[in-house]
Amino acid sequence: PRAPPPPRPPAAGCDDGLAPPCLFSFLAGPGGTTARPSAIASEIVPFMVENTGWQPESDMSTGFARRAGLVGSGEGASMTLLFRNATRPVRRLDVVTLRSTSPVWRDGAVRFALVTGGDFSHGGEAAERSAREARETTFEVSAALVADGAPGGGDVHISYHFGVDVEEAPPGTDVLLRVILSRG
């Protein structure tokens, strides 16, 4: 028999007294909950209902501190995650993205759309009711970083946290998250 996996550490800022506190969370990178692309994929695939152009990747050029994350293949890359029958209230969306002075990132941006309070799992009457009851929160995060260059003239890369409070979605409803590479 296999031993159960160790408990996952809670995401920062997510604990509201519920156990586990978040509906969904992962932190990519050597110190996070998902250090490799395969671990990122195993976290998101169970919830993925659409993916056109997003892949988990790891930048091996940074050595041991490699940066793992989701990378869009080009403008318009889109991914939708569906969390059916939420087991806890959803009040907030927090994301951590990479921002950089690198020309590759300079013109990039990702748009997040969180749709809460609906029933996206069933058709007919449930879909009609969802259209009236669901709430959408949309925001865009730029990948550009305005900063002085690194010592020696290199690029600067930082992890950027963005959080937004949303109208509470009660337990039992569905939550839909769309991630779209809007520029870059």
Side-chain angles (χ1 to χ4, degrees), residues 22 82 93 118 125 132 159 163:
C22 295
L82 174 60
L93 174 64
E125 194 176 299
R132 292 188 305 272
S159 296

Side-chain angles (χ1 to χ4, degrees), residues 88-92 116-117 135 165-171 173:
R88 61 194 79 273
V90 175
R91 300 179 192 106
R92 184 167 175 84
T116 58
R135 303 288 179 258
D165 292 324
V166 299
E167 185 174 329
E168 183 174 316
T173 59

Side-chain angles (χ1 to χ4, degrees), residues 95-100 105-112 139-146 158-162 181-183:
V95 296
V96 178
T97 64
L98 179 68
R99 296 184 89 175
S100 176
W105 295 87
R106 188 170 299 136
D107 296 323
V110 64
R111 185 171 62 244
F112 296 90
F139 60 92
E140 185 174 87
V141 178
S142 171
L145 174 64
V146 178
I158 65 163
S159 296
Y160 177 74
H161 170 258
F162 187 88
L181 188 61
S182 51
R183 290 184 282 133

Side-chain angles (χ1 to χ4, degrees), residues 74-94:
E75 191 170 321
S78 175
M79 176 176 57
T80 303
L81 304 178
L82 174 60
F83 305 95
R84 293 179 172 92
N85 193 22
T87 57
R88 61 194 79 273
V90 175
R91 300 179 192 106
R92 184 167 175 84
L93 174 64
D94 288 280

Side-chain angles (χ1 to χ4, degrees), residues 2-100:
R2 279 186 138 167
R8 291 177 47 184
C14 185
D15 191 2
D16 62 1
L18 299 172
C22 295
L23 179 65
F24 174 77
S25 67
F26 76 91
L27 180 61
T33 59
T34 54
R36 303 200 183 287
S38 59
I40 295 170
S42 70
E43 291 288 329
I44 63 173
V45 165
F47 306 104
M48 191 177 296
V49 293
E50 178 265 339
N51 183 10
T52 54
W54 285 93
Q55 294 296 320
E57 293 184 7
S58 186
D59 180 358
M60 298 303 285
S61 69
T62 58
F64 176 74
R66 68 176 156 258
R67 291 177 179 90
L70 290 169
V71 177
S73 61
E75 191 170 321
S78 175
M79 176 176 57
T80 303
L81 304 178
L82 174 60
F83 305 95
R84 293 179 172 92
N85 193 22
T87 57
R88 61 194 79 273
V90 175
R91 300 179 192 106
R92 184 167 175 84
L93 174 64
D94 288 280
V95 296
V96 178
T97 64
L98 179 68
R99 296 184 89 175
S100 176

